[in-house]
Amino acid sequence: MSEFSCIVMAAGKGTRMKTPLPKVVHPVAGRPMIERVLRAVQGAGAGEVRVVVGFGEEMVRAVVEPMGAYCFKQKEQRGTADAVRSAEPETLPGEIMILNGDHPLLEVADIKRIRERFRDSKAALAVVTCEVPEPGGLGRVVRSGGKLRAIVEAKDAGPDVLKIREINTGIYVVKANVLKDLLPRISNKNAQGEYYLTDLIGLAVEKNLNVEGILAEPRVGMGVNNQAELAEATAMAFRRKAAALMENGVMMMAPDSVFIEDTVEVGAASMIYPNVFLRGRTKLGASCVVETGSVLTDAVVADGVHIKAGCYVQEARVSAGVEMGPYAHLRPGTEIGQDCKVGNFVEMKKVKFGKGAKASHLTYLGDAEIGENTNIGCGTITCNYAADRKKYVTKIGKDVFVGSDSQFVAPVTVGDGAVIGSGSTITKDVPAGALAVARAKQFIKENYVPAAPKKKD
Ligand code: UD1
Ligand code: MG
């Protein structure tokens, strides 16, 4: 077992969030808070990670267990020291970091820095603190002669202690043997009748152990307790990602209104307009333009693609040089070939759209293969969903010309180079090079409209 392990406290409901979800699964810039905490500690080399679960246990497990963490149930929420006891810390060796699951802005570098400071100070126990303008209900750090003496919870504090602006972030590093010795000694004789983990500090000081307060920047201590703080953390996470991308040559007109999740990659010289969302495993190539109102989720987009305003792209692949939108909708399983044009109000689902093909206006293509350089006219529809409630495939070859307002009743195949007359409803296969017209013939009835009666004077 690694000599550095973590206990993450996440049993609380987070009443002030006012939602039915456990607090730590609320998303910050697309990822659950606790996933972010786990990524930070695991990235900094934590071996075993134990998560204390309670309220909404199943939802928390669903996030942390796939990441390799172990869950320990706290049966009743009797305070932070009781939470740590539930995680059976006596079975962990070396150095243990204890932290809250609601610190979504923690980064790998923060955890590494805290560990270094802990080691350099040769402390038995360290508490990460920070100075805040409005400490509110947070635990106050009491020092004398610069040395950390105790942490006093706001509810137990007198007026002098309440004035202190250095607060406990809820992040601790402690030697396993020290924790094993002190944890059982914590009582619940305080204003809230809870077992406070913060009592470790006073107990360690009494034993003349070396206790260190590690002062960190406010971001490290930022815990989320309500929706306003969740929004603040989310904004900070998006801003951080935008800054990192700009550092690598991505262009943004208004970085504060660009929403790109951590997991997304964007190539240099791409321009992101305001109010763009790039989510999940999206990869956007170099020298692309993504205009306002576009949302890309798990999309893979090659270089030099122009995505005009209002496009919605999900689990689709787009090759280099494509021009898309405004208002195009690419749904899962769609692959757009090089230099294609997907125009306004075009929806595609599970479509292979060959190199150089065009669907410039108002079209639905679903479960279809479209060959290279084929032109799909305005208002074309593949009728993929049949009365038997099954989906069928439309195959259209290369260099086909599909006239406007045509329907393809799948399953149906059109050979290379064929021409489909405008307004056709194609129900039978069309051979290569053929013309297919499937619409009522136009007839003319002359003098059909009676002559207008002559106006009387
Ligand atoms: C705690 C600290 C306080 C610090 C603050 C920082 C104590 C006594 N106080 O206060 O000094 O300034 O964090 O945010 O530790 N939890 C459990 N089981 C429990 C109780 C809590 O798992 O029985 C979890 C919560 O889900 C949460 C974390 O522990 O993730 C902190 O609990 P919370 O009740 O928010 O503690 P605070 O009162 O904020
Ligand atoms: Mg709290």
Side-chain angles (χ1 to χ4, degrees):
M1 205 184 277
S2 158
E3 289 297 287
F4 168 49
S5 23
C6 283
I7 297 175
V8 182
M9 293 183 282
K13 178 176 190 298
T15 314
R16 283 181 287 157
M17 299 302 285
K18 307 264 175 77
T19 75
L21 296 174
K23 176 162 77 177
V24 296
V25 306
H26 283 78
V28 165
R31 307 308 309 162
M33 277 194 246
I34 193 160
E35 179 187 312
R36 292 175 167 274
V37 173
L38 260 56
R39 259 198 274 145
V41 296
Q42 287 174 332
E48 184 156 333
V49 177
R50 297 185 177 180
V51 178
V52 182
V53 294
F55 181 83
E57 180 186 352
E58 291 312 317
M59 272 188 264
V60 180
R61 278 181 192 273
V63 176
V64 304
E65 283 178 345
M67 297 180 78
Y70 297 96
C71 291
F72 288 74
K73 173 106 187 221
Q74 186 191 15
K75 291 194 192 72
E76 224 185 302
Q77 279 162 49
R78 301 188 301 168
T80 42
D82 182 67
V84 172
R85 275 180 202 150
S86 330
E88 299 170 18
E90 62 283 358
T91 59
L92 291 171
E95 180 186 315
I96 304 172
M97 178 176 276
I98 303 170
L99 67 174
N100 295 346
D102 59 1
H103 284 244
L105 298 177
L106 274 178
E107 287 180 45
V108 172
D110 298 323
I111 307 288
K112 284 189 174 162
R113 213 172 299 129
I114 292 165
R115 286 191 66 201
E116 263 166 36
R117 285 288 309 276
F118 177 71
R119 290 224 203 100
D120 292 349
S121 66
K122 301 202 168 36
L125 166 67
V127 190
V128 180
T129 70
C130 62
E131 286 188 358
V132 294
E134 287 175 34
L138 294 166
R140 304 298 200 272
V141 175
V142 179
R143 292 178 185 262
S144 68
K147 285 294 265 180
L148 217 161
R149 307 309 300 180
I151 288 177
V152 179
E153 289 308 295
K155 285 190 178 139
D156 298 286
D160 284 347
V161 169
L162 283 176
K163 279 187 205 134
I164 298 172
R165 297 210 324 222
E166 185 182 7
I167 56 93
N168 168 25
T169 61
I171 305 170
Y172 316 83
V173 193
V174 58
K175 288 191 173 146
N177 58 337
V178 173
L179 185 64
K180 193 172 174 176
D181 177 29
L182 299 183
L183 194 58
R185 298 170 192 237
I186 293 177
S187 81
N188 62 352
K189 293 195 186 77
N190 52 52
Q192 302 187 78
E194 281 186 10
Y195 295 90
Y196 291 166
L197 188 61
T198 44
D199 285 354
L200 277 183
I201 287 82
L203 289 170
V205 168
E206 264 172 38
K207 291 197 114 192
N208 279 323
L209 294 173
N210 182 4
V211 182
E212 184 74 11
I214 302 176
L215 189 66
E217 57 181 305
R219 174 182 53 79
V220 172
M222 202 229 172
V224 169
N225 292 300
N226 54 39
Q227 296 297 335
E229 286 168 359
L230 184 71
E232 208 179 304
T234 298
M236 282 166 90
F238 279 134
R239 233 176 275 144
R240 196 155 81 189
K241 177 68 175 181
L245 289 173
M246 287 191 289
E247 190 89 2
N248 289 325
V250 175
M251 297 184 268
M252 295 175 191
M253 299 172 199
D256 280 351
S257 60
V258 159
F259 308 96
I260 304 179
E261 293 177 4
D262 292 346
T263 38
V264 171
E265 293 171 25
V266 182
S270 279
M271 164 61 93
I272 315 292
Y273 282 34
N275 282 319
V276 166
F277 273 81
L278 303 180
R279 310 181 53 213
R281 294 181 303 273
T282 293
K283 285 195 171 87
L284 183 72
S287 305
C288 292
V289 175
V290 184
E291 293 185 12
T292 299
S294 290
V295 180
L296 277 63
T297 306
D298 300 335
V300 179
V301 179
D303 298 345
V305 171
H306 186 171
I307 300 178
K308 296 178 185 169
C311 289
Y312 195 92
V313 182
Q314 187 168 10
E315 292 165 52
R317 302 180 82 89
V318 179
S319 306
V322 167
E323 198 182 305
M324 215 170 104
Y327 310 106
H329 184 187
L330 300 187
R331 293 168 50 199
T334 295
E335 290 175 26
I336 307 293
Q338 212 179 306
D339 299 324
C340 287
K341 181 162 185 223
V342 180
N344 44 192
F345 304 107
V346 172
E347 174 183 351
M348 294 198 198
K349 187 220 68 173
K350 230 176 171 181
V351 172
K352 282 206 165 62
F353 205 60
K355 187 175 166 191
K358 288 190 173 69
S360 299
H361 334 263
L362 300 153
T363 287
Y364 171 68
L365 302 174
D367 302 292
E369 284 173 30
I370 313 293
E372 290 179 11
N373 298 320
T374 282
N375 186 77
I376 304 288
C378 174
T380 297
I381 295 169
T382 55
C383 310
N384 56 334
Y385 188 48
D388 61 6
R389 302 214 177 334
K390 288 185 185 150
K391 302 278 173 67
Y392 294 94
V393 172
T394 300
K395 286 187 182 164
I396 298 178
K398 53 185 177 184
D399 301 311
V400 172
F401 183 90
V402 176
S404 297
D405 192 27
S406 297
Q407 297 97 55
F408 294 87
V409 181
V412 71
T413 299
V414 177
D416 294 346
V419 174
I420 309 295
S422 180
S424 292
T425 299
I426 301 297
T427 54
K428 295 189 194 115
D429 290 354
V430 179
L435 164 71
V437 183
R439 62 177 182 237
K441 264 197 176 157
Q442 180 171 326
F443 70 93
I444 303 280
K445 194 165 179 181
E446 301 258 13
N447 303 320
Y448 172 69
V449 183
K454 277 198 177 147
K455 273 190 188 161
K456 287 183 189 147
D457 299 325

